Amino acid sequence: EVDFAAELQIEAGGFHRSPVHRPYRAHVLRHFPETCPWSAPFYPDAIVLLCFPRGLRFRREAEDRTAHFHTFVMTRDDGAKVYGASLIYYEAVVDPKIVGAIQMLQLMFEQQILYDDNPRNSLCATGTRAERPPSPSCSLDLQRETIYSPKSICLLSSVPAIACFEQYLRQLFLLSRREAPPLPLECYIANLLYEVPLPPRGASLSFSC
């Protein structure tokens, strides 16, 4: 299980966009199990890129924040494949450091719109740059609006049971939204890893959270 959170490290080419819509770097918050002797080495940088191929991007209140699922495949040096399934969802940003950093970047961005040498800015007859306010789609007041950061729960497996992975991740996500889940989430993950048997070829197995 992999979980990600925002770092305000901007990807290359993102400075010309509003701070909310710039791509940021993600990092692994935690993974379970911590050590897995029977599996391939865990490469957090590669997993981050596959879970967030376009970088970590915030969402505003008016934008779609529906959880979405995608898959990926990694090929190891020995040719073995590792199948990944990622469910991305959004949580409100409440960390005052992140909120303050975004607000500062927003102020800098608005000043850039007003003063930098950009074709979007018109020139007065005297040769001075005409100031114009940022468009409503570019303006942002975090004292009145909440922004949301994406996170990903990811499963890695040597078995391409994609439909099962999606069902499992969505149920795990719903459990995490409960105020008091029946058991710690690690118990459900350990159950899948250590207690759910792998069915033989041609057979099926049903389970539920």
Side-chain angles (χ1 to χ4, degrees), residues 89-161:
Y89 61 97
Y90 294 86
E91 288 186 342
V93 176
V94 296
D95 188 330
K97 293 182 179 180
I98 296 181
V99 172
I102 290 290
Q103 192 68 70
M104 179 61 67
L105 289 172
Q106 178 67 25
L107 291 174
M108 295 170 61
F109 175 68
E110 292 178 1
Q111 290 300 313
Q112 175 184 338
I113 291 179
L114 295 174
Y115 301 112
D116 70 358
D117 294 326
N118 192 302
R120 293 174 297 179
N121 298 325
S122 60
L123 296 177
C124 298
T126 59
T128 60
R129 193 173 293 106
E131 295 187 1
R132 61 180 178 83
S135 66
S137 62
C138 294
S139 61
L140 176 67
D141 185 356
L142 293 181
Q143 294 182 347
R144 299 181 179 180
E145 181 180 353
T146 301
I147 59 173
Y148 297 82
S149 172
K151 287 188 175 182
S152 170
I153 311 174
C154 174
L155 276 175
L156 303 176
S157 174
S158 59
V159 179

Side-chain angles (χ1 to χ4, degrees), residues 30-110:
R30 57 188 297 195
H31 64 92
F32 181 85
E34 293 292 338
T35 58
C36 190
W38 68 86
S39 182
F42 182 76
Y43 298 106
D45 292 341
I47 301 301
V48 164
L49 291 175
L50 292 167
C51 285
F52 293 99
R54 298 176 63 244
L56 189 151
R57 297 169 185 260
F58 292 97
R59 291 288 186 273
R60 302 182 65 167
E61 291 179 347
E63 297 175 329
D64 181 36
R65 301 189 305 275
T66 305
H68 57 276
F69 175 83
H70 74 274
T71 61
F72 55 85
V73 180
M74 297 183 295
T75 303
R76 296 177 358 195
D77 294 339
D78 60 1
K81 295 186 182 298
V82 177
Y83 301 90
S86 171
L87 181 70
I88 296 179
Y89 61 97
Y90 294 86
E91 288 186 342
V93 176
V94 296
D95 188 330
K97 293 182 179 180
I98 296 181
V99 172
I102 290 290
Q103 192 68 70
M104 179 61 67
L105 289 172
Q106 178 67 25
L107 291 174
M108 295 170 61
F109 175 68
E110 292 178 1

Side-chain angles (χ1 to χ4, degrees), residues 12-28:
F15 288 95
H16 66 285
R17 301 172 184 167
S18 167
V20 170
H21 297 128
R22 292 172 183 173
Y24 297 89
R25 296 178 185 175
H27 68 279
V28 176

